[in-house]
Amino acid sequence: MTEQTPVTEASAVKVPTLPDAQTVTSVQHWTDRLFSFRVTRPASLRFRSGEFVMIGLMGDPHPETGKQKPLLRAYSIASPSWDEELEFYSIKVQNGPLTSKLQHIQPGDEIILRPKPVGTLVHDALLPGKRLWFFATGTGFAPFASLLRDPQTYEDYDQVIITHTCRDVAELEYGRQLIENLRKDEMMLELLGEENLAKLTYYPTTTREESPKMGRITTLLKDGTVFADLGIEGISAETDRAMVCGSMDLNIDLKEILEGFGLEEGANSDPKHYVVEKAFVG
């Protein structure tokens, strides 16, 4: 079960007290380890789907001076660039300097948001191709939640494959519901087009709890299971492009796998065949 806290009219109207403050509009707890939340969007903020910003809260007062410093971390924006609000998807770390506090936010609360988006998981960092792969683990799904709701993703490619690997089935729920809503929500169908959404393939796997597809995505790529399941011959630099967002180990392993297929790593200034989000840890 997920728990959602709606914003109220009383809580929405609040005078900012933090630097670069934005107001929380909704919070949804997916599991005891995962939650998502939405905040107001600065009128001047422009970003490309897939980018991240620094967000946070004020830290505890210094024991001697009483001064507080901002606790900031890089968070991918999970909402697409056209959205009027900003969405984020986060893990809960009980002893984490920021997430131990962030997990308790409520509608009407404020967070700090530095309005300087950056990141490598953007269409500009890839050369034109025919098939786009999104490889995510855990909350690494966030930038792809943005890109999956961006019309350019479907305009640029004939096929879009999103893989999402988590330990337990419940940890897949944020992504599962998002993709289900893409195909059911009238606004999304109108924006993206039913024909374009037919290009989308969702490939979830679990590593601990029993599910229809078990295994790490790296293992399933190496042994060819993914290709057999999807009816694809393999990955080729001529046709395939990829974006990776997950733990450091996943990033390293997938870089090796993708380069084994002949793909080269790109960047904003040097578009190639695949890109990795280095700012994400989790």
Side-chain angles (χ1 to χ4, degrees):
M1 289 289 291
T2 60
E3 176 190 348
Q4 185 158 8
T5 310
V7 68
T8 64
E9 188 176 348
S11 64
V13 181
K14 191 172 181 180
V15 178
T17 56
L18 296 178
D20 294 317
Q22 296 301 320
T23 303
V24 177
T25 60
S26 67
V27 181
Q28 187 155 351
H29 294 274
W30 299 90
T31 71
D32 59 358
R33 296 182 66 251
L34 299 167
F35 71 110
S36 60
F37 58 98
R38 294 175 70 84
V39 304
T40 53
R41 176 175 177 170
S44 60
L45 178 63
R46 298 290 180 269
F47 70 95
R48 295 174 294 174
S49 295
E51 289 188 313
F52 65 86
V53 289
M54 302 297 290
I55 67 172
L57 297 167
M58 295 303 290
D60 294 328
H62 189 279
E64 295 178 4
T65 65
K67 291 184 177 180
Q68 292 176 283
K69 290 185 177 180
L71 288 171
L72 299 173
R73 297 288 185 275
Y75 269 75
S76 292
I77 303 172
S79 46
S81 59
W82 51 262
D83 203 322
E84 293 180 355
E85 293 185 334
L86 299 177
E87 182 179 336
F88 299 96
Y89 184 42
S90 178
I91 193 170
K92 304 176 188 180
V93 180
Q94 299 310 321
N95 297 318
L98 177 58
T99 58
S100 61
K101 299 174 182 292
L102 194 63
Q103 64 183 289
H104 299 298
I105 57 172
Q106 299 290 327
D109 290 347
E110 293 177 350
I111 67 162
I112 302 167
L113 188 148
R114 298 281 194 250
K116 295 181 179 178
V118 291
T120 55
L121 300 183
V122 293
H123 289 302
D124 294 344
L126 294 176
L127 294 169
K130 294 184 177 179
R131 182 188 296 124
L132 177 61
W133 297 81
F134 293 141
F135 294 109
T137 56
T139 53
F141 191 93
F144 305 137
S146 174
L147 286 155
L148 285 168
R149 290 181 276 188
D150 191 317
Q152 185 181 348
T153 299
Y154 306 94
E155 292 164 3
D156 287 357
Y157 296 92
D158 298 332
Q159 186 175 16
V160 178
I161 300 170
I162 169 77
T163 80
H164 191 200
T165 300
C166 295
R167 296 181 306 174
D168 304 318
V169 173
E171 295 174 345
L172 295 167
E173 191 64 13
Y174 173 80
R176 188 196 69 76
Q177 283 195 26
L178 185 144
I179 289 169
E180 184 179 277
N181 288 338
L182 284 182
R183 294 174 168 143
K184 289 184 176 179
D185 185 86
E186 288 185 13
M187 190 197 80
M188 295 308 303
L189 280 169
E190 185 177 345
L191 176 69
L192 301 176
E194 196 167 344
E195 185 177 303
N196 277 333
L197 286 171
K199 300 176 180 180
L200 177 60
T201 298
Y202 174 48
Y203 193 86
T205 77
T206 57
T207 57
R208 188 169 66 182
E209 185 182 357
E210 190 75 24
S211 73
K213 180 57 61 176
M214 301 282 295
R216 298 183 183 281
I217 192 62
T218 47
T219 302
L220 300 174
L221 283 167
K222 287 177 182 177
D223 66 15
T225 300
V226 174
F227 308 126
D229 288 343
L230 301 181
I232 294 171
E233 290 187 9
I235 291 176
S236 163
E238 291 182 9
T239 56
D240 293 81
R241 303 295 175 258
M243 296 186 181
V244 181
C245 191
S247 66
M248 195 62 69
D249 288 343
L250 175 91
N251 291 353
I252 293 170
D253 290 346
L254 270 174
K255 280 166 63 79
E256 183 179 338
I257 290 169
L258 293 172
E259 289 175 6
F261 286 118
L263 275 62
E264 297 179 39
E265 185 174 3
N268 280 272
S269 58
D270 185 21
K272 291 290 179 64
H273 309 117
Y274 80 91
V275 285
V276 176
E277 186 51 83
K278 300 175 180 67
F280 175 82
V281 178

